[in-house]
């Protein structure tokens, strides 16, 4: 069930039997010369929507802008400052919690979001801790690549050149879902450099084409299909575990 294609009456009815909601969350940022700008929000959306077709899930609209300050040296990147991102996540959580959702599961597609999302969870929980009131919901963050079996599959598909940004696995997922938007570009060097992440100008000088440690050109539609299938299954298992808590 997709929240944005439902009516309020259908959501009210569903809340009688399930209080779990999945929020795909990501970022709109450069992904090297052949990766789509939407890669980090498309991946969790694609996986959540695939899982929704297989199992009984309610999926919220995708939270598609994240904390990507370090990518702002590349056109097309849109970023929220950490404090703005925290406020926005808090408002999403408060809106969903107000309706009675008690398992709010964020499926994340951007490594740069993790610290801010975790800090937001602490901020939200702290309201209950300081007031002494019980928190009526559980918040969960899962990166899609940390779903059961995905790291192993990615290592098998790409023993070298996986890297950490504009990875062939994330690009493969988007290519499988959007085959009309498959891109190609020369990879120079074939495997991109590694290094620390700081501000946008520093990033662009260290990683001139945007990639970190990866060879994006290894991505194939077929790999993407395998990753989506495995991740969708992993998501259903992970959500079932959270619901059993
Ligand atoms: Zn990414």
């Amino acid at each position: 069930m997709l929240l944005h294609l439902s009516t309020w009456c259908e959501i009210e009815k569903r809340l009688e039997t399930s209080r779990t909601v999945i929020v795909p969350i990501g970022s709109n940022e450069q992904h090297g010369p052949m990766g789509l700008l939407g890669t980090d929000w498309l991946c969790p959306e694609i996986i959540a929507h695939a899982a929704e077709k297989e199992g009984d899930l309610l999926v919220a609209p995708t939270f598609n802008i994240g904390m990507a300050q370090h990518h702002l040296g590349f056109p097309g990147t849109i970023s929220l400052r950490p404090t703005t991102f925290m406020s926005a996540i808090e408002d999403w959580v408060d809106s969903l919690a107000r309706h009675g959702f008690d398992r709010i599961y964020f499926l994340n597609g951007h490594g740069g979001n993790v610290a801010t999302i975790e800090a937001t969870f602490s901020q939200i929980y702290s309201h209950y801790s300081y007031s002494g009131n019980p928190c009526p919901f559980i918040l969960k963050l899962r990166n899609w690549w940390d779903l059961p079996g995905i790291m192993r599959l990615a290592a098998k598909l790409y023993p070298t050149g996986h890297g950490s940004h504009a990875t062939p696995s994330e690009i493969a997922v988007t290519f499988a879902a959007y085959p009309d938007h498959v891109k190609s570009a020369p990879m120079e060097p074939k495997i991109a450099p590694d290094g620390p992440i700081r501000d946008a100008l520093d990033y662009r000088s260290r990683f001139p084409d945007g990639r970190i440690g990866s060879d994006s050109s290894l991505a194939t539609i077929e790999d993407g299909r395998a990753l989506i299938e495995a991740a969708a299954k992993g998501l259903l298992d992970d959500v079932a575990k959270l619901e059993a808590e």
Side-chain angles (χ1 to χ4, degrees):
M1 188 173 190
L2 300 177
L3 187 140
H4 67 287
L5 298 182
S6 307
T7 65
W8 71 264
C9 317
E10 289 169 321
I11 298 301
E12 188 170 75
K13 183 89 188 137
R14 178 166 176 102
L15 279 160
E16 291 170 11
T17 55
S18 168
R19 295 182 167 263
T20 301
V21 61
I22 314 304
V23 183
I25 189 165
S27 175
N28 196 87
E29 63 185 47
Q30 71 80 16
H31 269 75
M34 57 178 286
L36 308 181
L37 282 153
T39 299
D40 280 1
W41 63 263
L42 288 169
C43 287
E45 179 176 280
I46 291 161
I47 291 160
H49 288 198
E52 184 269 337
K53 288 199 180 82
E54 298 295 317
D56 180 34
L57 283 189
L58 174 65
V59 181
T62 302
F63 194 138
N64 61 9
I65 304 296
M67 210 303 288
Q69 61 82 17
H70 47 292
H71 294 296
L72 282 169
F74 297 87
T77 299
I78 304 172
S79 176
L80 296 176
R81 289 172 175 80
T83 47
T84 319
F85 192 33
M86 289 181 74
S87 296
I89 295 167
E90 199 166 342
D91 288 354
W92 278 55
V93 167
D94 285 349
S95 301
L96 292 167
R98 188 194 185 286
H99 307 312
F101 288 103
D102 65 5
R103 299 284 188 284
I104 303 173
Y105 183 114
F106 287 87
L107 183 65
N108 179 45
H110 174 44
N113 281 349
V114 171
T116 314
I117 296 174
E118 294 283 14
T120 310
F121 286 4
S122 296
Q123 178 77 10
I124 292 168
Y125 287 138
S126 76
H127 298 318
Y128 296 94
S129 302
Y130 282 101
S131 68
N133 293 318
C135 179
F137 49 79
I138 295 173
L139 302 172
K140 170 91 180 173
L141 170 63
R142 177 73 80 190
N143 301 316
W144 72 263
W145 55 87
D146 289 327
L147 286 167
I150 297 302
M151 287 287 209
R152 208 173 339 117
L153 178 55
K156 196 176 122 203
L157 292 170
Y158 314 111
T160 57
H162 189 263
S164 59
H165 186 67
T167 67
S169 59
E170 60 183 347
I171 288 173
V173 167
T174 63
F175 284 0
Y178 295 93
D180 293 344
H181 296 276
V182 170
K183 322 271 181 184
S184 66
M187 298 286 107
E188 290 163 4
K190 187 153 175 57
I191 295 181
D194 259 312
I197 294 174
R198 292 175 184 147
D199 64 283
L201 284 180
D202 181 79
Y203 186 108
R204 185 142 184 179
S205 66
R206 284 176 196 281
F207 314 111
D209 76 359
R211 296 172 296 141
I212 304 180
S214 61
D215 174 4
S216 311
S217 69
L218 299 170
T220 68
I221 288 177
E222 196 189 357
D223 295 347
R225 287 200 188 114
L227 285 159
I228 293 167
E229 193 185 321
K233 187 183 170 307
L235 176 60
L236 289 171
D237 291 348
D238 208 34
V239 171
K241 271 194 201 128
L242 182 68
E243 288 184 315
E245 261 191 47

